[in-house]
Amino acid sequence: MAAVDIRDNLLGISWVDSSWIPILNNGSVLDYFSERSNPFYDRTCNNEVVKMQRMTLDHLNQMVGVEYILLHAQEPILFIIRKQQRQSPTQVIPLADYYIIAGVIYQAPDLGSVINSRVVMFLSRKLTAVHGIQSAFEEAMSYCRYHPSKGYWWHFKDQEEREKAKPKAKKKEEPSSIFQRQRVDALLLDLRQKFPPRFVQQKPGEKPVPVDQIKKEPEPVPEAVKPEEKETAKNAQQSTGTKGPPEKRTRLQ
């Protein structure tokens, strides 16, 4: 790829000679523009040939090639000079325009350069806006929290500092109701019946022992009742059953 010459893009530079500023007018502006230190001036133009041969600028119409003309003047502030390619006395092709404001020479941008600059500026602003929005989303996501039992909520740093500064109030523990206790006991009993424990800890601090290894204590055998005791108990019941009500005694007045 060929290297780009700085002379091919002169839109970013300017040139001025302060000694010419007080004497700038319609007759001297082209001489000011043709200074050797001016980077916008082409030494191979027809103006340089006419200047070397000491001819007037009217001879430019009879020549063919690059030339500079004064296109517009508003003394003493604004002058516009055009660079053009002359092909015949009546046919020219504009190449570039230069404007002089208060003695400072600038190159006027062409339409392609203006559109390119606007597109680049628009894209840069768009990228800056996208970057700002993306940074805002990333910062917002850093404050987002989630828990299965609570859901989503925002957790900000300043909020955490305010919570730390506030005195912590003691939460009152509300006693459970009878319904809650009975319901929980019923659920625990149901779970115990469905899933019986495989290990049992007989005493606190001891290692749990499998249920199969625990020796079951023999149930106490009910004592046998002697037949003599059965008869005495039966007679006592009969005697109490046949005994009549107590006799009524007359009350002495």
Side-chain angles (χ1 to χ4, degrees), residues 3-13 39-40 107:
V4 178
D5 192 353
I6 191 173
R7 293 175 299 177
D8 296 338
N9 187 8
L10 301 175
L11 298 176
I13 63 174
F40 303 106
Q107 180 176 347

Side-chain angles (χ1 to χ4, degrees), residues 120-131:
V120 171
M121 186 181 299
F122 172 76
L123 292 178
S124 63
R125 290 180 178 176
K126 187 176 181 181
L127 291 176
T128 304
V130 170
H131 177 70

Side-chain angles (χ1 to χ4, degrees), residues 172-187:
K172 295 182 179 179
E173 296 182 358
E174 297 180 358
S176 60
S177 62
I178 299 175
F179 172 76
Q180 292 175 343
R181 291 195 293 271
Q182 291 179 351
R183 184 62 178 170
V184 171
D185 293 341
L187 291 174

Side-chain angles (χ1 to χ4, degrees), residues 221-238:
V221 180
E223 296 180 357
V225 182
K226 296 181 180 181
E228 295 177 356
E229 294 178 355
K230 287 183 179 181
E231 290 179 1
T232 54
K234 187 176 182 181
N235 294 333
Q237 290 177 359
Q238 290 177 357

